Amino acid sequence: MTTLKIDLVSDIACPWCAIGYARLEQVLATLPELNTELEWHAFELNPDKNAPQEPILPALSRKYGRNEDEMRAAQANMMDIAAELGLNFTKMQQRFTCNTFDAHRLVKWAATENKATEMKLALFDAYFGEAKDVADKAVLAACAAQAGMDRTEAQRILTGNDYADTVTTDIAKYQQAGISSVPAFIINNKYLISGAQEPAQLAQSLQQIASESA
């Protein structure tokens, strides 16, 4: 059995990151000959912690230079894709922009108990499914509990600076490596798969990498 190390660079605020991971899971279920080791890495779409939060549609409209109707249609398309993958994106058009640095700190903490994926999925569900503020400490602590982590310990971490250096180093490392958009799948520290690839294309890429690594 071939083992692939997958370093997944993503942000909680990135819908394609949630879709990309769901597609990865779907593909791996069809490739039992592959064994994978997944590690999540941080990326910030909104790195300014002091930026005011604003409704997502006008924010995206300004960012991409497209009108709100176009952005609404693009978001609706993502909602359809997410629904087919079993993801809850029902309130993604009602969410607000937010900084995810503290959320990434909790993912790093959860990784110490092998629950980083559970933490990440809880955060995706809160942000896209419930339009909750994943910069809010109470929301984050609730996500930690949903992921099977200790809520009180999460609250303690959030009031301090635990894992802040780890997240900062993580973000800098992949920026310096040239990662400027997410999701980014780095396989065996050698191969880069950018974006939320269609399942068939992703499967083909993983199989090719596995054959070259065998």
Side-chain angles (χ1 to χ4, degrees), residues 8 12 19 27 53 72 75 117 154 176 181 183 190 194 214:
L8 178 46
I12 291 99
I19 289 170
V27 165
Q53 295 186 344
R72 187 175 290 105
Q75 298 268 296
T117 296
Q176 290 163 10
S181 63
K190 183 178 180 181
S194 295

Side-chain angles (χ1 to χ4, degrees), residues 24-213:
L24 175 66
E25 274 197 314
Q26 188 180 67
V27 165
L28 292 177
T30 69
L31 301 173
E33 69 276 14
L34 292 185
N35 183 46
T36 56
E37 298 173 2
L38 177 72
E39 185 173 348
W40 293 93
H41 297 284
F43 188 94
E44 286 184 294
L45 291 172
N46 302 295
D48 185 355
K49 294 181 181 180
N50 298 314
Q53 295 186 344
E54 59 180 316
I56 196 67
L57 289 175
L60 291 174
S61 178
R62 188 178 66 255
K63 180 177 181 178
Y64 293 108
R66 296 162 65 185
N67 65 48
E68 283 190 37
D69 285 341
E70 288 178 300
M71 298 315 305
R72 187 175 290 105
Q75 298 268 296
N77 178 56
M78 275 188 276
M79 291 168 73
D80 289 340
I81 293 170
E84 291 176 4
L85 290 164
L87 296 171
N88 181 9
F89 272 29
T90 52
K91 292 188 178 180
M92 73 173 299
Q93 299 197 38
Q94 299 168 39
R95 63 198 163 102
F96 280 63
T97 59
C98 66
N99 173 266
T100 53
F101 189 86
D102 282 341
H104 285 302
R105 290 202 292 133
L106 288 190
V107 174
K108 292 298 181 187
W109 165 55
T112 67
E113 296 187 21
N114 295 316
K115 289 186 177 179
T117 296
E118 288 87 343
M119 187 73 226
K120 199 84 174 188
L121 295 179
L123 291 163
F124 283 146
D125 190 62
Y127 191 51
F128 300 116
E130 304 295 335
K132 290 181 178 177
D133 178 6
V134 290
D136 181 85
K137 289 177 171 53
V139 170
L140 290 173
C143 287
Q146 184 182 333
M149 303 293 290
D150 183 80
R151 185 191 293 259
T152 302
E153 179 64 6
Q155 291 168 330
R156 186 198 67 75
I157 289 169
L158 291 166
T159 56
N161 291 309
D162 297 39
Y163 304 99
D165 289 346
T166 306
V167 173
T168 299
T169 300
D170 211 30
I171 290 169
K173 174 183 177 180
Y174 289 98
Q175 283 181 337
Q176 290 163 10
I179 302 298
S180 58
S181 63
V182 286
F185 302 80
I186 300 162
I187 316 295
N188 290 350
N189 295 310
K190 183 178 180 181
Y191 304 90
L192 172 65
I193 300 173
S194 295
Q197 303 286 336
E198 292 286 348
Q201 186 176 356
L202 181 58
Q204 184 179 18
S205 297
L206 292 176
Q207 287 173 309
Q208 183 176 345
I209 292 169
S211 67
E212 293 176 6
S213 304

